[in-house]
Amino acid sequence: MKKFSFELEKVLEFRNFEKEQAEGELAKALAVENEINNNLNTIARQYTAVKASMKGSSEFSDLIAQSQFYNLLNYQKEELLKQLAEAKLVTEQKRDVLRECMKKTTALEKHKEKQLADWKQAADYEEAELLDEVKNKLTSS
């Protein structure tokens, strides 16, 4: 019997390539989100550090500097939160693309498995027929 071949193998390979690309894009989007979260954590640490260093200070110039620095940190935080919201939207879009690629790939893989099972069943039947034929020839001789 001839060797099993899946007629949609090239399509399956292309779908797997698309899926790998989508996984890479999702990883990049998640990395952007992580970077923004790290920056937000840095701002929180800076806020805490300035608050601790200024504790007990009654100098007017120190209080003004602290207030200005807090304003700067708040501005940076707000900008990062906007970026984070945008990054989350992009990440969700990338997840949707990956889900769609996975659906297409899974459907083709199941189709291939079914065809392989059918091919094996046909090969087993053909082998059994051949064995019966050989057995009949031997018994009739």
Side-chain angles (χ1 to χ4, degrees):
M1 182 168 209
K2 67 179 184 169
K3 182 181 172 187
F4 173 75
S5 70
F6 182 56
E7 70 273 3
L8 298 173
E9 189 65 39
K10 294 289 183 189
V11 175
L12 180 59
E13 289 173 8
F14 178 71
R15 297 285 189 217
N16 281 325
F17 174 76
E18 282 183 324
K19 185 175 87 170
E20 290 170 7
Q21 292 294 105
E23 288 170 346
E25 292 295 318
L26 177 59
K28 288 177 188 175
L30 289 171
V32 169
E33 270 190 51
N34 287 335
E35 181 66 28
I36 293 170
N37 281 323
N38 290 339
N39 290 340
L40 285 168
N41 289 335
T42 300
I43 288 174
R45 285 192 300 275
Q46 288 175 336
Y47 186 86
T48 304
V50 168
K51 191 170 188 169
S53 71
M54 298 302 287
K55 192 173 192 176
S57 177
S58 59
E59 291 267 340
F60 183 72
S61 61
D62 289 344
L63 294 175
I64 294 293
Q66 179 186 16
S67 175
Q68 288 175 340
F69 190 66
Y70 284 162
N71 288 340
L72 173 65
L73 291 178
N74 281 331
Y75 173 77
Q76 289 175 340
K77 179 184 77 171
E78 291 302 318
E79 288 300 312
L80 287 172
L81 288 173
K82 288 177 190 174
Q83 291 175 15
L84 183 60
E86 291 172 9
K88 285 188 179 284
L89 289 174
V90 169
T91 299
E92 197 52 42
Q93 290 171 348
K94 301 297 181 183
R95 274 194 182 102
D96 290 342
V97 168
L98 179 58
R99 269 189 223 105
E100 193 61 36
C101 288
M102 290 174 80
K103 283 181 190 176
K104 290 176 183 177
T105 303
T106 302
L108 279 173
E109 287 171 346
K110 285 183 180 182
H111 183 61
K112 181 179 180 178
E113 288 171 8
K114 184 183 178 327
Q115 278 192 356
L116 180 60
D118 291 346
W119 177 84
K120 284 180 181 179
Q121 185 178 15
D124 291 345
Y125 179 78
E126 188 176 303
E127 184 179 339
E129 288 289 314
L130 185 60
L131 288 174
D132 282 347
E133 187 179 310
V134 169
K135 179 180 162 187
N136 288 339
K137 282 187 179 182
L138 289 176
T139 56
S140 66
S141 305

